[in-house]
Amino acid sequence: MLDADLVVIGAGLAGCSLIARLRQLNWTGRIAIVEAGRGPGGRTATRRRRKRPEWRLDHGAPGFHMVDPLPEGLKALLAPLRENGSLQQANRDVITLAEDGSISGPGGPALVDWLEGQPSMASLCEALLAMDEGHSTQHFGRRIRTLQRIRTHWCLCEEGSDWQLRGTRMVLSGSLLAHPRSLAMLGWQVVPLREAVPEGQDPDLDQVLETLARSRAEVRWNLMLDLPLNGEKLPRQIWLTPEAQAQWRVERLVLQPQADNRTGLVVHGLDSGVPITPESQPVLLRQEEKRLRQQLPELLNPWPELQSACEQAESLGVMRWGASQPLDHPLARSLQWCDASAVGFCGDYIDGPGFGRAEGALRSAVDLAELLVTLTP
Ligand SMILES: Cc1cc2nc3c(=O)[nH]c(=O)nc-3n(C[C@H](O)[C@H](O)[C@H](O)COP(=O)(O)OP(=O)(O)OC[C@H]3O[C@@H](n4cnc5c(N)ncnc54)[C@H](O)[C@@H]3O)c2cc1C
């Protein structure tokens, strides 16, 4: 007896949207979703704090925009989220900061129709999973490390335990299990999907793995601070111009007022290109925290109130995001489903409008759901 007809790896926007859209299309198969993180969200996750339960800090994508025309399937997917208020139009300012310290606003790519999850970004994935009405099984805090293709089904094994899951079809929403970056970053010996289906068995899958191996992903170092300041009147985002980004190695500052009258600040730090390995990561995290904190007084010159709040800020640490915004070599939409190996792909690494952004994750999930419902059970 298999655990599921479809196993989805990853509960980010793409994985959760795939499940929600499949259910909207009346797909009745058994679905299991497995996620390494403690809850849904992926790169739209929200940081919670044990000692301050009212805190919600969007430490990955703080929102997103989409470019019309949107496919009907995507509009249908988002309609219930707009209706229940978990997806809303943002209404706070976006300011641009130049390398000479001058500000102008609003600016940045966030100008057009900026959308946010409410009350936080993780609410989007939570609301998408809720559309499944409890029909799928959800496995959080489990990182899949080994994949095996056994005759007509997939067997997925967790890292560091003997927990496993079996399913007829499998979808990877994150690209980690199919991308060689896992070798250096996590110290894995093989690319799990390549090991599961040896070269030559499925030409489509060979093409997928070749494309993904060529794609690079940007790394981010996001510093999170708790500021003793009510940020309601401050801009929501401060985007640096390209010249300012090069000067400070910071993309933007995101301010999120909290229910306890304090404000969360996320400094989106850009990468220096130093290779990340299990050994170098702890050192890099400390270096990035120090660097970003040291730069803040200069960056915040135009906002003296914010500047002085930062001096008394409590650090909530640095989050290293991998695979944020894949830079090149998108995966062709025609390769989203490899029938011979019964494996599919969705996420922001799929080609199309919104590639590398939240919109791409949503669109690719809708496309894959519409394809999966046409397959024989
Ligand atoms: C700091 C930052 C800022 C961003 N800003 C913006 C923005 O302003 N606008 C915008 O449009 N986009 C932005 N993005 C990009 C946006 O967040 C992503 O495009 C989108 O969230 C991708 O969703 P996804 O489902 O494709 O991938 P993910 O959210 O990465 O989901 C993949 C999931 O798979 C899980 N997973 C992977 N491998 C395994 C495994 N082996 N076992 C179990 N689980 C696994 C991961 O834990 C993850 O939760 C930003 C991203 C970051 C990091």
Side-chain angles (χ1 to χ4, degrees):
M1 181 64 179
L2 296 178
D3 302 294
D5 301 304
L6 175 68
V7 177
V8 178
I9 305 183
L13 272 184
C16 297
S17 300
L18 174 69
I19 296 177
R21 187 67 188 138
L22 278 171
R23 295 308 190 203
Q24 279 186 331
L25 296 170
N26 300 319
W27 196 79
T28 53
R30 290 165 305 158
I31 303 177
I33 185 163
V34 198
E35 166 56 51
R38 273 177 289 184
R43 278 172 277 156
T44 53
T46 300
R47 166 85 184 261
R48 307 285 289 266
R49 297 173 73 184
R50 214 169 281 137
K51 289 192 184 144
R52 291 177 184 266
E54 69 277 18
W55 263 66
R56 304 274 183 283
L57 190 59
D58 296 330
H59 60 335
F64 62 99
H65 69 283
M66 294 190 293
V67 180
D68 280 334
L70 298 183
E72 289 307 314
L74 179 53
K75 286 189 206 161
L77 174 77
L78 298 180
L81 307 193
R82 291 183 192 274
E83 274 159 31
N84 69 21
S86 47
L87 178 65
Q88 289 182 21
Q89 208 80 29
N91 54 11
R92 291 179 54 221
D93 290 347
V94 176
I95 300 292
T96 305
L97 175 66
E99 76 279 19
D100 61 2
S102 61
I103 55 173
S104 55
L111 255 181
V112 239
D113 291 342
W114 186 254
L115 297 163
E116 289 176 340
Q118 284 299 336
S120 65
M121 284 301 283
S123 311
L124 291 176
C125 286
E126 287 160 9
L128 286 163
L129 281 187
M131 285 161 65
D132 175 57
E133 294 176 350
H135 293 304
S136 61
T137 52
Q138 302 174 4
H139 308 273
F140 292 107
R142 297 205 182 268
R143 183 190 289 280
I144 299 301
R145 160 83 188 257
T146 316
L147 302 172
Q148 283 176 286
R149 181 88 185 124
I150 305 171
R151 290 185 300 277
T152 54
H153 70 266
W154 280 99
C155 182
L156 297 78
C157 304
E158 189 191 17
E159 185 161 44
S161 86
D162 53 10
W163 183 88
Q164 49 177 255
L165 193 66
R166 292 176 313 151
T168 316
R169 293 178 171 130
M170 175 178 80
V171 168
L172 302 191
S173 70
S175 64
L176 189 67
L177 289 157
H179 195 288
R181 78 196 147 90
S182 55
L183 307 184
M185 220 166 63
L186 299 168
W188 293 0
Q189 302 302 311
V190 285
V191 173
L193 189 56
R194 178 74 290 170
E195 195 185 33
V197 184
E199 199 171 346
Q201 278 191 17
D202 179 348
D204 285 346
L205 185 59
D206 289 347
Q207 245 184 295
V208 169
L209 291 169
E210 271 166 39
T211 310
L212 291 179
R214 277 183 283 134
S215 82
R216 290 174 300 135
E218 268 181 350
V219 171
R220 301 294 178 88
W221 303 89
N222 281 11
L223 170 66
M224 298 167 279
L225 296 174
D226 167 355
L227 309 184
L229 170 81
N230 180 326
E232 286 294 347
K233 299 222 167 79
L234 291 168
R236 166 73 162 138
Q237 297 195 51
I238 300 167
W239 274 85
L240 278 69
T241 59
E243 297 74 21
Q245 289 186 10
Q247 180 171 312
W248 280 298
R249 210 154 38 81
V250 168
E251 183 199 53
R252 61 184 135 159
L253 308 174
V254 180
L255 288 146
Q256 213 176 339
Q258 301 293 323
D260 61 0
N261 244 353
R262 297 172 73 92
T263 297
L265 168 64
V266 183
V267 184
H268 287 233
L270 299 171
D271 193 40
S272 67
V274 177
I276 304 167
T277 63
E279 294 74 36
S280 70
Q281 169 147 313
V283 181
L284 290 170
L285 283 169
R286 281 194 298 276
Q287 282 175 358
E288 287 299 317
E289 172 156 16
K290 192 167 166 210
R291 172 182 83 83
L292 293 168
R293 280 208 83 151
Q294 276 173 351
Q295 288 186 165
L296 268 179
E298 195 187 346
L299 270 171
L300 293 174
N301 249 336
W303 301 272
E305 196 190 7
L306 200 50
Q307 207 178 28
S308 79
C310 277
E311 284 166 18
Q312 303 151 50
E314 181 190 341
S315 173
L316 306 178
V318 172
M319 172 74 188
R320 197 264 303 145
W321 289 106
S324 64
Q325 295 157 337
L327 294 179
D328 41 29
H329 296 107
L331 185 65
R333 289 160 75 179
S334 56
L335 290 171
Q336 272 194 268
W337 182 249
C338 298
D339 205 44
S341 345
V343 60
F345 303 88
C346 63
D348 63 354
Y349 56 96
I350 309 291
D351 200 10
F355 164 67
R357 298 187 287 106
E359 179 184 357
L362 294 165
R363 283 179 184 258
S364 70
V366 168
D367 287 348
L368 185 59
E370 288 170 1
L371 190 150
L372 286 176
V373 291
T374 65
L375 302 179
T376 45

